[in-house]
Amino acid sequence: MAAAQIAEWQKRAEAFKPLNLKQIEGPIAELDAHLTLRSYIVGYSVTDADLDVWKAIRGNRIAHSSVIKQGLYINVSRWFNFIEESERPVVELASRGKEMAKKAEGKSDQGNYDIGLQGTEKGVVTRFPPEPSGYLHIGHAKAALLNDYFAHKKYQGKMILRFDDTNPTNEKQEFEDSIVKDLELMGIKPDQVTHTSDYFQELYEAAVKMIKNGKAYADNTPQEILRDERMNNVDSKHRNDSIEDNLAHFEEMKKGTPEGTTWFIRAKINMQDPNGAMRDPVIYRCSPQVHHRTGDAWKIYPTYDFACPVVDAVEGVTHALRTTEYNDRDAQFQWMLKAMDLRHVYNWNFARMAFVRTFLSKRKLTKIVDKGDVWGWDDPRMPTVRGIRRRGMTVPALQEVILSQGPSKSITLMDWTKIWATNKKHIDPIAGRYTAIDTKDKVTVTVTGAPATHTDMKDLHAKNPAVGQKKVVFSKNIILDQTDVASFAEGEEITLMNWGNAIVKSKSTTVVDALKSPLATLSGNAPISSLELELHLQGDVKKTSKKVTWLSTDQELIPVKLYEFDYLLTKDKLEEEDDFEKFLNPTTSVLTECLADCNVADLKEDDIMQFDRKGFFRVDKAFKNGEPAVLFQIPTGKGGK
Ligand code: ATP
Ligand code: MG
C-alpha cells in the first residue's frame, strides 16, 4: 500500500518540473492540501516520495520560489524546509555511488550510511537481538532502527527479531510482548521472530562437537582465580583435561546436579592473546532455573559469546551489527564461526547511544521501577520508547534523530535538546492552541466596556486552519494569572490576547485571601484577588509590552493538572564505578493545577496541544465526569529539558 503510494508520488514529482508557473500551481496547491495534517507525503517517516518531490521542487527555480514564499503554501513550505534541513545531508550521502561512498568514508560520518558493508550483493540479513528482560529503551531503538534501515531501506534484505533468551533469571513473556509492540510502533516490521532458545538443542550439539574436536573444555576454577589467570595469561589446570573428562563434566552440567553447577565450558582459544576476549571465554554455564519458554528442559545455558555467532550463522544473518563495546569480541566471534565450520557473518559495530543525565541500562531501569521511584516502565521520565512517547515524543522525530546519527562509530553523549527540538518541528504545525490559567491565586477580573456575552469560533491554529476550530467566549467576567496581574501598573495599557487592549483600572486584595495564600508570607505582599479592566479595543496591540492570556468564566472551565518533569539524574555522565542511586534526582516532577477553556473537554488521550504561553502538552488522561484532565509538558529543547 505505502509502496504504491510512494511510487505514485514519485511519478507525480514530474508535475513540479515545468518552468511555468501556471502549470505547476495546481500540483503545488494539491500537495499543500495533502500535507495539511501530515508531516510526510506518505506514512510517518521520510520516504522516496518526499525526496523525489523535494528534489523536483528544489531543481525548479519557479516552483522553489513559490514554495518558499511566505504564507502562500504554508504546508508545502513547512514540509519543504523540514526536508531541506534534515534530509539533505543524508540523502546526498546515501544516494552517492559506491566510489563516492568510499571517498566519504573516514570523513565526517554523521548520518553516513555508506559504511562499506561487505558482501551485500549476496543479500543482506540483519537481526535485532534484545534480551527480553525489560522494555525497549532509546538505545535499543537505535539498534533496531539501524538494523531495519540496512535490511529494508538501503538493501532489499531481511531483518530478524531474535529474543536473546539465554539468561532465564530476568526474562519474561511480558517483556517480549512489549518489545514486539514497541517495534511496531516505530514502524519496524521484522520479517521473522525467533528465539535463541529455539536453538538450544543445536547449541548443545555444537558445544559437544567443540569438546570432541579439542576446541572446548570443562573448567571449575573459582571466579576470582579465573579472573586473575585471565589477567596474567595463566592456563587453567583443566585446560588440557581429556575429552572424556570434559564430556563427562558437560553431562553432569546438563543434569543440573550440585556437582554440575560448579562446572562451566570454555572455548580453547589462546590464553596468551593480547586481546582478553580471546583468553578462553566461557561458552556454557550450568544454571538449573526455569526458563520462560523451555521450562525445566535445560539446566545449561549458552553464553552470549557462543550463542550469538552460532545462531547468526544458522539463521542466515549476513551482517551482525553491534555496539562498539563489542569491538574486542569480534575476533572471538569470527574464531567461533571458524571453529565450528559455520557460514561467514560480517561484523559491523556502531556507537552506543548515550544521553546526558540518563541511564540506558535495563538493570538500573528495572531497579527504579521495582523501587517505585517512577510510575512504571512507561513513566514519562523513563528513557524507554514508551516513556518518551508518553512524554510527547513523536515517532517521526525519534526516527529522524536516531537515523541522522547513523551507524557512526564515534560515541557522543547526546543532549536531549536536539531530540526535543526536532520533535517540536513535528508537533508545532499541528498542535491546536488552547488557554489555561493557574487555579491558585487566579485573579477575578471585571472588564468594563465588554460587549454582551457571546461565543466566536476561532481557528485552533492560526497558521493551520485544518487543525479545526474552537469556541472563544467573550464576556465581562474573566480570570487572569496572578503573576501577570502582579506586574500591571494602574493605568497601564495591556493586551488581552486575541481580543484587544484594555486599561488597568484598580487592583484589590482581600484580607481573607491574603492570609490564606502562601505567596503572601513569601513575599510579604498579599496576592491580588480582583481587578478592573476597561476595554480599549481601539488601542494598538503592537504598542503594549504585556500580552496576557485570559479566560471568560461564562463557560465551563475545565480543571487540568499539568505536569512538568525533570531528569532522573543529577549528574550528566554516570561513570562505570558510580552508584547511580546516589545521583537520583529527588524531585522530578512539578504539578500545576489550572483551569482551561471549554474546548479542552474534547481533547482525547494522546492528543498533543499547546497552551498559549505555557508550552506544548500531551494529554495523558482526558477530562471525564468532572475529573481533571492530566497533561504532560512536552520539552521543546529550550534549557536542555
Ligand atoms: P542493557 O544494558 O540495557 O540491558 P543490552 O545491550 O544488554 O543493554 P540487549 O537487550 O542485549 O541489551 O540489547 C539488544 C540490542 O540493543 C543489542 O544489539 C545492543 O547492542 C543494543 N543496544 C543496547 N543498548 C544500546 C545503546 N545504548 N545504544 C545502541 N544500541 C544499544
Ligand atoms: Mg545484553
Side-chain angles (χ1 to χ4, degrees):
M1 183 76 170
Q5 287 173 1
I6 293 169
E8 160 70 18
W9 277 98
Q10 286 181 287
K11 248 190 271 154
R12 279 213 226 172
E14 294 303 313
F16 300 96
K17 290 184 180 167
L19 278 166
N20 175 328
L21 189 59
K22 281 245 147 44
Q23 267 174 291
I24 56 174
E25 262 172 358
I28 297 178
E30 271 172 43
L31 178 62
D32 195 61
H34 180 78
L35 288 171
T36 322
L37 280 176
R38 291 185 172 92
S39 297
Y40 302 103
I41 294 183
V42 179
Y44 298 99
S45 57
V46 174
T47 65
D48 287 343
D50 298 288
L51 302 181
D52 284 8
V53 175
W54 170 75
K55 275 187 230 158
I57 294 176
R58 193 75 170 75
N60 178 346
R61 64 189 157 75
I62 296 180
H64 189 203
S65 74
S66 53
V67 160
I68 56 174
K69 208 177 279 166
Q70 278 299 313
L72 201 50
Y73 300 107
I74 46 172
N75 303 311
V76 178
S77 150
R78 155 175 58 80
W79 162 87
F80 184 87
N81 290 332
F82 177 61
I83 301 287
E84 172 105 357
E85 265 173 49
S86 59
E87 288 303 314
R88 189 160 57 162
V90 181
V91 179
E92 287 180 352
L93 285 166
S95 61
R96 280 186 204 169
K98 261 197 172 162
E99 265 154 58
M100 293 292 278
K102 282 219 181 80
K103 270 193 224 154
E105 217 153 70
K107 286 192 203 156
S108 156
D109 50 2
Q110 161 122 38
N112 182 359
Y113 284 86
D114 289 319
I115 55 177
L117 288 187
Q118 293 165 281
T120 54
E121 64 287 348
K122 285 178 245 146
V124 171
V125 180
T126 64
R127 88 289 194 266
F128 171 59
E131 191 187 348
S133 55
Y135 283 67
L136 285 191
H137 58 55
I138 183 162
H140 298 125
K142 173 174 178 179
L145 279 169
L146 287 182
N147 279 293
D148 173 65
Y149 186 88
F150 283 107
H152 297 139
K153 309 230 161 74
K154 181 141 175 92
Y155 304 103
Q156 307 304 307
K158 201 172 98 165
M159 175 187 152
I160 299 170
L161 164 62
R162 181 195 310 146
F163 289 109
D164 190 29
D165 53 350
T166 54
N167 177 10
T169 334
N170 313 316
E171 296 161 3
K172 280 199 227 152
Q173 187 61 41
E174 171 202 341
F175 296 136
E176 280 194 20
D177 298 342
S178 75
I179 290 170
V180 169
K181 282 217 191 86
D182 288 357
L183 290 178
E184 198 178 285
L185 204 81
M186 288 190 297
I188 299 176
K189 289 188 203 76
D191 299 279
Q192 213 182 325
V193 180
T194 66
H195 293 80
T196 301
S197 60
D198 298 337
Y199 305 95
F200 279 169
Q201 182 63 32
E202 285 87 342
L203 285 158
Y204 165 71
E205 286 165 17
V208 169
K209 204 166 132 194
M210 292 259 287
I211 295 175
K212 287 187 176 160
N213 291 340
K215 287 176 180 156
Y217 59 95
D219 196 0
N220 67 350
T221 307
Q223 195 84 59
E224 255 149 55
I225 303 178
L226 181 90
R227 198 179 310 138
D228 286 346
E229 287 183 350
R230 244 210 199 113
M231 203 106 96
N232 303 311
N233 308 80
V234 177
D235 286 2
S236 155
K237 62 176 192 272
H238 292 293
R239 196 169 200 266
N240 294 310
D241 282 0
S242 72
I243 291 174
E244 291 68 37
D245 281 354
N246 289 330
L247 287 174
H249 290 308
F250 197 26
E251 278 315 293
E252 208 59 34
M253 287 169 62
K254 189 162 177 263
K255 285 188 216 135
T257 62
E259 165 70 7
T261 58
T262 62
W263 290 84
F264 46 92
I265 308 293
R266 294 174 75 179
K268 198 169 180 177
I269 310 183
N270 181 5
M271 288 304 289
Q272 309 309 315
D273 201 299
N275 175 354
M278 298 297 269
R279 294 179 206 151
D280 295 7
V282 175
I283 63 169
Y284 250 101
R285 281 203 178 86
C286 176
S287 151
Q289 289 175 50
V290 176
H291 185 279
H292 79 285
R293 293 186 78 238
T294 58
D296 59 3
W298 294 93
K299 321 278 188 223
I300 44 171
Y301 294 98
T303 60
Y304 170 86
D305 287 341
F306 184 64
C308 190
V310 174
V311 179
D312 279 346
V314 171
E315 287 189 333
V317 169
T318 58
H319 296 81
L321 312 182
R322 314 197 279 186
T323 40
T324 51
E325 72 271 18
Y326 288 98
N327 284 348
D328 284 351
R329 279 146 91 181
D330 286 352
Q332 183 206 77
F333 181 102
Q334 295 300 334
W335 184 92
M336 300 276 181
L337 293 180
K338 282 215 189 73
M340 284 172 274
D341 243 339
L342 292 166
R343 56 187 292 287
H344 184 252
V345 180
Y346 291 102
N347 291 116
W348 172 272
N349 300 334
F350 60 88
R352 226 181 147 73
M353 181 156 253
F355 279 93
V356 292
R357 302 207 180 186
T358 304
F359 42 90
L360 294 178
S361 141
K362 274 183 289 200
R363 185 182 59 77
K364 291 176 187 153
L365 295 171
T366 305
K367 189 139 192 193
I368 59 169
V369 170
D370 291 348
K371 274 205 321 168
D373 289 342
V374 290
W375 305 330
W377 283 97
D378 64 350
D379 184 291
R381 289 160 290 199
M382 291 280 275
T384 51
V385 170
R386 292 197 183 194
I388 52 179
R389 287 249 315 152
R390 200 165 162 209
R391 184 98 178 254
M393 173 68 59
T394 61
V395 171
L398 186 64
Q399 289 174 331
E400 188 189 324
V401 170
I402 293 178
L403 286 175
S404 76
Q405 207 186 33
S408 150
K409 287 178 187 291
S410 48
I411 300 185
T412 44
L413 185 64
M414 286 180 70
D415 203 302
W416 285 98
T417 312
K418 184 182 167 203
I419 188 162
W420 288 118
T422 303
N423 192 50
K424 185 180 167 208
K425 282 195 300 184
H426 288 264
I427 61 177
D428 192 14
I430 51 168
R433 270 52 172 175
Y434 299 81
T435 305
I437 299 288
D438 281 25
T439 310
K440 191 171 154 307
D441 297 326
K442 63 180 188 296
V443 182
T444 311
V445 181
T446 312
V447 185
T448 56
T453 305
H454 66 283
T455 304
D456 279 0
M457 294 309 286
K458 299 268 182 193
D459 285 338
L460 274 166
H461 193 304
K463 294 188 196 141
N464 187 357
V467 176
Q469 293 209 307
K470 62 176 175 181
K471 290 184 208 142
V472 181
V473 180
F474 296 85
S475 75
K476 68 178 196 321
N477 307 307
I478 65 170
I479 48 173
L480 295 182
D481 272 319
Q482 178 70 220
T483 41
D484 283 335
V485 175
S487 75
F488 296 166
E490 289 199 9
E492 186 178 357
E493 183 159 342
I494 55 115
T495 300
L496 296 169
M497 275 171 70
N498 303 318
W499 191 353
N501 286 1
I503 294 161
V504 177
K505 287 295 174 194
S506 60
K507 304 201 237 182
S508 57
T509 310
T510 61
V511 182
V512 188
D513 282 347
L515 288 176
K516 268 199 292 196
S517 170
L519 256 192
T521 43
L522 269 181
S523 62
N525 290 326
I528 298 134
S529 58
S530 61
L531 170 74
E532 201 186 307
L533 287 176
E534 186 183 302
L535 207 57
H536 183 59
L537 292 182
Q538 58 275 42
D540 185 352
V541 296
K542 291 199 191 87
K543 293 210 172 115
T544 56
S545 63
K546 289 166 196 160
K547 303 188 193 328
V548 304
T549 33
W550 56 276
L551 280 175
S552 160
T553 53
D554 294 308
Q555 65 183 315
E556 186 195 2
L557 291 175
I558 308 300
V560 294
K561 291 182 163 177
L562 307 184
Y563 280 92
E564 186 178 2
F565 299 106
D566 199 355
Y567 295 113
L568 289 171
L569 285 179
T570 54
K571 190 175 180 192
D572 274 1
K573 187 170 183 287
L574 273 190
E575 300 301 336
E576 203 51 54
E577 64 279 7
D578 284 339
D579 172 5
F580 83 102
E581 290 183 75
K582 293 215 174 83
F583 298 101
L584 285 176
N585 186 355
T587 314
T588 50
S589 75
V590 178
L591 169 64
T592 312
E593 299 194 25
C594 293
L595 289 169
D597 61 80
C598 61
N599 307 284
V600 168
D602 301 330
L603 290 170
K604 294 180 294 297
E605 181 176 329
D606 250 356
D607 281 348
I608 283 177
M609 51 83 80
Q610 188 186 68
F611 277 125
D612 280 329
R613 295 172 73 221
K614 288 194 186 304
F616 291 98
F617 291 84
R618 177 190 152 275
V619 180
D620 195 61
K621 199 168 149 243
F623 173 71
K624 206 178 155 197
N625 305 332
E627 281 292 304
V630 177
L631 294 98
F632 297 160
Q633 178 142 27
I634 306 173
T636 51
K638 283 196 201 125
K641 285 184 189 166

